[in-house]
Amino acid sequence: MKRRNFLKGMASLPLLSSVSATNLLADNAKTTLVKNGKVLTAAHWGIMDVEIKDGKVVGSKSHIQYPEFVNPLPQNTADMVYKSRVKYPMVRKSYLENPDSPKPELRGKDEWVRVSYEDAIKLVARELKKTRAQKGIKGVFAGAEGWRSTGNVHNSTSWLHRFMNLSGGFVKSLEDYSTAAGQVILPHVLGSIEVYEQQTSHSLVLENSKVILIWGADPLATLRVAFSSNEERGLKFFEDLKKQKDKKIIIVDPIKSYTGQFFDGIAEWITPIPNTDTAMMLGMAYHLYKTEKYDKEFIKTYTTGLDKFLPYLLGETDKTPKTPEWAAKICGIEAKVIKELVEVCVQNRTMIMAGWAMQRAHHGEQPYWMIATLASMIGQIGLPGGGIGFSYHYANGGSPTCKGAVLQGVNRASVGAFNDSGDFIGTATGRMENGKFVVGQGVDGFKEPQGYGIPTSRIADALLKRGEKFQHNGKELTYPDIDFIYWAGGNPFVHHQDLNLFKKAWQSVRTVVINEQYWTPTAKMADIVFPITTPYERNDITMSGDYSNMHIVPMKQIVEKQFEAKDDYQIFTDLCKAYAKDLVVAFTDNGKDEFDWIRYFYESARAQVKESPEIYELMKPFDEFWAENKLIEFAPTMESKEWVRHGEFREDPILNPLGTPSGLIEIYSETIANMGYDDCKAHPMWFEPVEWLGMRDKPASMHMLSPHPEYRLHSQLNQTSLRDKYAVANREPIWINSEDAKEKGIKDGDIVRVFNARGEILAGAVVTQNISRNVVRLCEGGWYDPDENGLCKNGCPNVLTIDLSTSKLANGPIPDTTLVNVEKFKGKIPELTAFKEPKFA
Ligand SMILES: Nc1nc2c(c(=O)[nH]1)N[C@H]1C(S)=C(S)[C@@H](COP(=O)(O)OP(=O)(O)OC[C@H]3O[C@@H](n4cnc5c(=O)[nH]c(N)nc54)[C@H](O)[C@@H]3O)O[C@H]1N2
Ligand SMILES: Nc1nc2c(c(=O)[nH]1)N[C@H]1C(S)=C(S)[C@@H](COP(=O)(O)OP(=O)(O)OC[C@H]3O[C@@H](n4cnc5c(=O)[nH]c(N)nc54)[C@H](O)[C@@H]3O)O[C@H]1N2
Ligand SMILES: [Mo]
C-alpha cells in the first residue's frame, strides 16, 4: 500500500487482537492473555504485531508498512522471550558466604547459587543500607546508561533512580556514550545540544536540497531503532531520497556502510582516513576563504570569531596553513577532491547530515565544532533544505512533529529523608501525612543533599581513581568512593571501552546487583542477579517517533511471566518495603500498580488535548483504548512540515538569538578559552588522536571502527536467530579490505585473531571492497565471552578499544580511536559460550 492510502485506511483496519469486543472490560483486559491470535506491541525496533499460538510466541513483524525496506529487527520476538533467560534470583557463591569480604576477583568465575526471591530482596536491602552507612551517597552508583526496553511504565532506569533517590541518593551519570562530545561542545557553538533535536523536515529536504552530504553516518542501519519506538519515517525518507534523480548524494565514510551500499551507483563515496575529518574540513574551509567563496554576509550577521580563527587556519600562529594539500596528507583525500567537494556545497543548496561516530573519537569535540564552522562559511544554516543536521540518522529526525498528546514518563523523584527510627518521612518537595505521600511541602528543614556526578563513560576511571579531582566542561569534579553498583537496563560489560581494564575497576567494588532478562556478560559479572520480565510479559504503553510523537501504542502482555521473572517495578517496590517503613508509599505514588500507571499516563495525555476536538476524538477513554488494542496516530501540522532548524534565528538573530553567550554561532569561544584546556582550545583545531593510521610508531597496523550493528540494538538481539544473517564461523563479522586480506593470507570466512596491547578477540572475516585499506569494521554489541586467558571468543570490540576521554571539555568515550592487528587464527577453535548459562552450584 502507498503510504497515504495506508494512513487513510488506518481507521478502518480490523482489530488486530483476538480479544473480542465482548470481553473488553478493563479488569478482564488486565488478566486475559490472547492464546491464539495477534497482539500489538512495541520495541525500540518498531511497532510490532506479535503472533501467538497456543499461548506461545511464534512470530512477529513490523506493524508499519510504508517503507519498502523491510526492517528485519522486529522479527525475532520469540527468541527474545525464550532464549538465554535468567530464570531465578541468583547470588554468587562467595558473596552469599560473606558479603563483607565477597572475593570480587571471582566475579565471572564463581558458581551461582539459586536463592528465594524474598531472601534476595532482604540481602540487597541490607547491603545497600550498609554501604550508605559506611560511605554515604557517594558510595552508591546506579547505572544510568542503558537502552533497557521501550515502555513508559516499565522504565527500568527510571525505577532504579527513583528507588535510589528516595532511599537516600546515589552517584549519577552525566551525558552519555552516544553524544557526550557533541552534547557538550555544540551548546558552546550553536547554543543548543542539537544531537537530540528536531531537524529541518524531510519534505523540505526533498523539495529544496540539491546536495545531501552524509558525513560519517549510516542511517539505513541506525534508523532501524528509536529510543521510544520506531515509526520508520526515517527509512521511508531515505527511500524517497533515492528515487529523486536530481539530488547529488555524497557520503564521507571510511566504510561503504549499509547506507553506502543502499546508494551504490548513486552516491559518491569519499573515504578519509578514520578520525581525520577535522583536517579535511579545515582544508575545505581554507579553500573557501582563499577563493572568497564563503558567505561573508552570513559570517558577519550570524557568527562571531572567524577573525580569531583565521590566524590558525591560515597558519600565522603555527606556520602551518591548513591548505587542502596539507589536509590531503593527513586525511588521504586528494586536495582536488577536497576543493571540489566544498565548491559543490557552496554552489548548491546543501544539507549536511552529520553522524555521531566521529565525535566518539579522541578530540571528538573538534569535528563537530569544525563542521559547524564550515556550515557557517557555506552560509545555508536556517534555509529550507540547507545547513547542518546532527540527527537525521537517529530516531527519525526530520519526521515532522505531530499535533497530539504526549505521554509522560516515570518521575525519578528526589532524595529521601528519614527519621531517627529509620522511617521514610519525605523529601525536599513532598512528605508523609497520615500514611500518604503528599507532594507540595517538603520535610521541614530538609535540604536535598548534593550527590556526585561522573561523566557516563568515566566509570572505570571513577573506580580506579577514587577521590581524585578532574576537569569537566569548566568545572572541577571529584571521583566518588563507589562501593555498591546497581544496574538495571544496560550492559556495561559489552558497552564500555577497554574491558580488561574495566574488569579490574569492577573488582574494586564490594557489591554489584544487576536486574536482567538474559545471562548477559554483565549479569555474569554480578554478585546478585534478579530475573526480569521482557516487555512481552507485562503491560505497558509507549509513544513512537521520539521527535515526531506520532503514535500512542498499547503494549499488552503477550505471554505469562517466564520462570520467576519479575518486573523491575515489582523488585524496587519490594526493596522499598524491605528498606524502610513508608518508603513504598512514596515510591508507588500511594499504591499505584502497573495498570494504574498506564491509565494515569494515558488519561493525563488525554486531558492535555481536551481543547482540541479533532485530537480528543482520537483518544477514547482508557478502557476503550486498551480493549481495542490499536495504535493512535497523530498527524503533523502544516507548520511542522515546513519547519526549518535555525529558521527563526536566520530570520532575526536579534529577536531569536542562539543560546550562546553572544547569541551567535561561536567559531571562537571565550568561555572555552577561559577554561584553559590544552586538549580543547578556543576554536576548532586539528589534534592528532592518540592512535591513528598517520601516527609515527604505530602500536598496531589497522584502524578498527566499531559502528552500531545493523541487525541488533547494541547487545540486544545478539542471541536471536538474526545472528544467522551476520555471524561468520560462529563469531562476530569483521570487515577487512580485500588487498589487506590478501597480504595477510586471510580468506573470507576465516576465523581471525584481532589484538593489541589491551587484549585479544576472535572474529569471522568478511573480505570486501566496501572498506578502506587498513581499516576494519567490527560492530559494537557482540556479547563479551572471555576464555580463561581473557580472549573474547565471540568478538566484542571493546576488549580492544581505548578508555580515554575525548578531552577535558566533554569527557566523552573514544571507541572509534583504536588501532589493532589482525591475523589468521591458527589455534584450536574454542567453543562459543556467550549465550549459555554460567556455572550453577
Ligand atoms: N566500541 C563501541 N562501544 C560502544 C559504542 C560504539 O559505538 N563502539 N556505542 C556506545 C553507545 S552510543 C551506547 S548507547 C552504548 C549502549 O550500551 P547499552 O545501552 O548498555 O546496550 P544494550 O545492549 O542496549 O543494553 C541494554 C540491556 O538492558 C537489558 N534490558 C532490556 N530491557 C530491560 C528491562 O526492562 N529491565 C532491565 N533490568 N533490563 C533490561 C537488555 O537485556 C540489555 O542487556 O554502547 C556504547 N558502546
Ligand atoms: N540498528 C541499530 N541502530 C542504532 C543503534 C544500534 O545499536 N543498532 N544504536 C543507536 C544509538 S544508541 C546510537 S548512539 C546511534 C549511533 O549513530 P552513529 O554514531 O552515527 O553510528 P555509527 O554506526 O557508530 O557510525 C556511523 C558511521 O560513521 C562512520 N565513521 C566512523 N568513524 C568515522 C570517522 O572517523 N570519520 C567518518 N567520516 N566516518 C566515520 C562509520 O563507518 C559508520 O558508517 O545509532 C542508533 N541506532
Ligand atoms: Mo548511543
Side-chain angles (χ1 to χ4, degrees):
M1 259 198 284
K2 287 271 176 315
R3 184 185 81 196
R4 200 159 298 141
N5 296 340
F6 173 68
L7 292 180
K8 267 195 206 150
M10 290 280 293
S12 55
L13 280 181
L15 275 183
L16 281 160
S17 158
S18 62
V19 178
S20 73
T22 47
N23 62 358
L24 292 189
L25 294 169
D27 278 344
N28 277 350
K30 275 190 190 184
T31 48
T32 316
L33 291 182
V34 174
K35 285 280 171 227
N36 288 287
K38 278 187 190 163
V39 180
L40 184 68
T41 189
H44 295 296
W45 39 88
I47 302 167
M48 308 189 289
D49 294 316
V50 177
E51 201 184 331
I52 302 146
K53 213 171 160 213
D54 301 327
K56 286 206 104 182
V57 176
V58 291
S60 59
K61 60 180 181 17
S62 176
H63 181 75
I64 302 286
Q65 295 171 28
Y66 38 77
E68 285 155 36
F69 175 90
V70 179
N71 188 352
L73 269 54
Q75 296 165 26
N76 292 269
T77 308
D79 288 345
M80 290 300 273
V81 175
Y82 305 117
K83 280 195 180 163
S84 304
R85 295 293 298 268
V86 176
K87 297 174 180 156
Y88 311 104
M90 288 284 180
V91 182
R92 189 170 63 82
K93 193 159 167 261
S94 312
Y95 191 91
L96 195 61
E97 283 163 6
N98 186 358
D100 292 321
S101 177
K103 303 190 186 146
E105 67 284 1
L106 292 183
R107 286 193 188 118
K109 294 185 185 147
D110 235 343
E111 294 181 332
W112 288 88
V113 182
R114 180 177 168 184
V115 297
S116 76
Y117 174 66
E118 293 70 24
D119 285 349
I121 290 284
K122 274 187 228 152
L123 180 65
V124 173
R126 191 184 71 208
E127 299 306 322
L128 175 60
K129 210 177 263 185
K130 194 188 285 172
T131 302
R132 283 220 177 91
Q134 290 165 352
K135 312 237 169 189
I137 291 183
K138 67 181 193 306
V140 178
F141 180 75
E145 176 66 16
W147 268 70
R148 51 171 177 85
S149 293
T150 299
N152 284 41
V153 174
H154 293 286
N155 179 333
S156 54
T157 320
S158 298
W159 291 127
L160 168 65
H161 289 177
R162 187 175 168 95
F163 166 70
M164 284 299 189
N165 263 332
L166 288 170
S167 65
F170 66 99
V171 174
K172 299 183 171 65
S173 311
L174 311 169
E175 290 91 33
D176 56 32
Y177 281 91
S178 315
T179 60
Q183 267 178 68
V184 175
I185 188 71
L186 290 178
H188 291 294
V189 179
L190 290 168
S192 184
I193 64 168
E194 301 288 327
V195 289
Y196 301 137
E197 289 173 332
Q198 182 58 293
Q199 307 296 298
T200 297
S201 78
H202 287 153
S203 46
L204 287 184
V205 173
L206 292 173
E207 254 168 59
N208 299 289
S209 312
K210 284 284 171 282
V211 175
I212 306 285
L213 178 53
I214 302 176
W215 200 306
D218 186 7
L220 264 295
T222 55
L223 289 170
R224 296 177 186 190
V225 308
F227 201 63
S228 56
S229 184
N230 195 357
E231 31 84 343
E232 302 195 22
R233 285 291 175 119
L235 293 170
K236 170 73 182 143
F237 163 75
F238 281 96
E239 260 174 22
D240 291 344
L241 187 62
K242 191 176 176 179
K243 287 179 193 147
Q244 292 209 341
K245 301 293 171 226
D246 64 330
K247 306 261 188 275
K248 187 168 177 61
I249 298 166
I250 305 168
I251 302 177
V252 182
D253 196 318
I255 296 171
K256 191 181 266 185
S257 65
Y258 277 78
T259 305
Q261 292 171 41
F262 182 78
F263 286 112
D264 204 15
I266 297 173
E268 185 184 340
W269 181 32
I270 297 177
T271 57
I273 289 170
N275 293 191
T276 65
D277 304 84
T278 307
M280 182 170 156
M281 292 172 200
L282 281 164
M284 291 165 79
Y286 184 95
H287 180 69
L288 276 191
Y289 184 77
K290 278 292 183 181
T291 54
E292 296 200 40
K293 286 180 180 153
Y294 70 103
D295 190 331
K296 290 181 192 134
E297 222 20 67
F298 187 90
I299 292 289
K300 200 170 106 203
T301 318
Y302 300 102
T303 75
T304 167
L306 183 73
D307 53 329
K308 292 185 179 147
F309 167 64
L310 282 176
Y312 170 77
L313 185 70
L314 302 176
E316 289 157 17
T317 47
D318 60 357
K319 298 205 177 64
T320 311
K322 310 302 173 299
T323 61
E325 290 71 22
W326 165 85
K329 281 193 199 128
I330 295 171
C331 70
I333 301 300
E334 280 176 56
K336 183 169 157 278
V337 176
I338 295 177
K339 290 180 202 169
E340 280 168 7
L341 175 61
V342 72
E343 297 226 354
V344 164
C345 295
V346 278
Q347 284 159 13
N348 296 283
R349 184 61 60 85
T350 300
M351 179 56 86
I352 306 175
M353 300 181 173
W356 296 343
M358 64 180 139
Q359 56 87 61
R360 249 183 272 110
H362 200 205
H363 299 290
E365 295 86 355
Q366 303 307 318
Y368 266 33
W369 201 346
M370 194 54 219
I371 209 167
T373 300
L374 190 59
S376 300
M377 293 177 79
I378 293 170
Q380 299 180 13
I381 292 174
L383 290 180
I388 181 152
F390 293 93
S391 200
Y392 278 108
H393 67 293
Y394 178 75
N396 306 298
S399 168
T401 307
C402 296
K403 186 170 182 211
V406 178
L407 293 176
Q408 66 186 93
V410 175
N411 178 314
R412 297 181 189 207
S414 45
V415 177
F418 298 82
N419 64 18
D420 291 343
S421 332
D423 304 341
F424 174 81
I425 50 172
T427 66
T429 52
R431 63 184 183 201
M432 292 300 301
E433 278 172 22
N434 305 321
K436 290 220 160 252
F437 182 68
V438 185
V439 178
Q441 249 186 357
V443 173
D444 293 339
F446 176 71
K447 279 212 189 75
E448 170 130 3
Q450 287 308 300
Y452 281 68
I454 54 167
T456 292
S457 67
R458 298 330 299 145
I459 175 71
D461 257 10
L463 298 174
L464 294 166
K465 301 179 182 169
R466 291 152 193 275
E468 269 184 36
K469 297 191 186 320
F470 66 100
Q471 283 292 317
H472 186 62
N473 197 14
K475 291 203 184 85
E476 187 181 79
L477 304 178
T478 308
Y479 285 128
D481 188 13
I482 296 166
D483 208 23
F484 189 110
I485 293 179
Y486 202 138
W487 224 294
N491 202 352
F493 267 93
V494 178
H495 77 220
H496 192 66
Q497 285 59 67
D498 196 348
L499 290 174
N500 285 315
L501 182 74
F502 188 44
K503 202 186 265 183
K504 277 195 201 114
W506 197 254
Q507 286 173 356
S508 68
V509 172
R510 186 174 68 89
T511 307
V512 178
V513 188
I514 306 288
N515 285 5
E516 249 303 343
Q517 300 156 335
Y518 311 102
W519 275 113
T520 61
T522 306
K524 287 174 180 169
M525 289 295 287
D527 298 321
I528 301 162
V529 180
F530 282 109
I532 302 296
T533 50
T534 64
Y536 319 108
E537 294 151 59
R538 57 203 190 199
N539 295 288
D540 212 327
I541 187 166
T542 185
M543 298 209 65
S544 79
D546 291 25
Y547 305 117
S548 67
N549 289 330
M550 196 169 178
H551 303 101
I552 292 182
V553 193
M555 296 171 61
K556 278 196 184 180
Q557 186 171 342
I558 294 169
V559 288
E560 302 287 349
K561 293 191 189 328
Q562 302 289 298
F563 306 97
E564 284 185 17
K566 300 266 189 299
D567 302 338
D568 295 279
Y569 184 51
Q570 180 72 53
I571 287 163
F572 293 119
T573 299
D574 291 328
L575 279 172
C576 284
K577 290 181 188 161
Y579 198 86
K581 182 168 175 287
D582 287 339
L583 187 57
V584 72
V585 180
F587 180 77
T588 59
D589 194 15
N590 297 303
K592 283 195 176 74
D593 69 9
E594 174 190 63
F595 258 90
D596 296 328
W597 285 109
I598 299 174
R599 184 189 300 272
Y600 170 62
F601 290 163
Y602 181 88
E603 288 297 353
S604 325
R606 190 162 171 256
Q608 292 164 12
V609 294
K610 244 192 174 128
E611 309 303 323
S612 315
E614 72 298 350
I615 302 171
Y616 194 62
E617 200 185 17
L618 298 172
M619 293 191 73
K620 304 198 168 134
F622 177 75
D623 290 345
E624 274 177 58
F625 157 75
W626 190 256
E628 268 193 7
N629 193 32
K630 281 203 226 166
L631 45 74
I632 297 173
E633 178 162 313
F634 300 118
T637 58
M638 275 315 287
E639 300 89 76
S640 69
K641 286 191 209 160
E642 305 271 285
W643 191 78
V644 176
R645 175 136 209 95
H646 302 305
E648 289 182 343
F649 169 64
R650 186 165 188 125
E651 236 168 65
D652 193 334
I654 313 276
L655 275 182
N656 309 308
L658 298 179
T660 54
S662 61
L664 299 170
I665 299 171
E666 301 210 345
I667 297 171
Y668 179 98
S669 164
E670 204 67 52
T671 314
I672 296 179
N674 288 337
M675 293 177 192
Y677 295 156
D678 55 354
D679 52 2
C680 184
K681 298 192 177 180
H683 56 70
M685 284 174 69
W686 159 247
F687 289 88
E688 263 198 62
V690 274
E691 289 187 5
W692 70 295
L693 288 172
M695 75 193 288
R696 237 178 264 162
D697 304 323
K698 286 195 283 281
S701 66
M702 305 191 88
H703 196 117
M704 179 184 77
L705 296 176
S706 45
H708 288 233
E710 64 282 4
Y711 287 119
R712 287 195 296 262
L713 171 59
H714 313 296
S715 75
Q716 296 187 60
L717 298 161
N718 197 188
Q719 79 276 36
T720 69
S721 52
L722 273 169
R723 193 167 179 273
D724 303 341
K725 291 189 195 284
Y726 60 85
V728 172
N730 203 21
R731 321 281 141 174
E732 285 292 302
I734 185 167
W735 293 13
I736 180 165
N737 177 281
S738 317
E739 305 300 312
D740 292 332
K742 206 163 144 197
E743 278 177 23
K744 291 174 191 296
I746 294 167
K747 285 197 220 54
D748 195 66
D750 278 352
I751 294 186
V752 293
R753 175 172 169 260
V754 191
F755 60 101
N756 59 22
R758 293 173 288 272
E760 53 175 345
I761 66 170
L762 298 184
V766 177
V767 175
T768 172
Q769 293 287 358
N770 289 332
I771 190 161
S772 310
R773 289 293 309 260
N774 302 313
V775 179
V776 289
R777 173 188 191 265
L778 181 62
C779 285
E780 56 105 9
W783 288 19
Y784 173 53
D785 187 21
D787 73 3
E788 323 67 68
N789 303 315
L791 168 112
C792 175
K793 299 176 280 181
N794 189 33
C796 177
N798 277 324
V799 174
L800 307 166
T801 50
I802 307 177
D803 190 1
L804 272 181
S805 292
T806 50
S807 82
K808 296 184 195 72
L809 188 85
N811 285 299
I814 63 162
D816 280 321
T817 299
T818 299
L819 293 183
V820 299
N821 292 308
V822 183
E823 64 180 25
K824 194 176 152 93
F825 179 65
K826 303 231 175 66
K828 186 170 171 273
I829 297 168
E831 186 206 351
L832 188 78
T833 48
F835 310 111
K836 294 197 162 161
E837 291 177 327
K839 272 183 294 178
F840 300 129

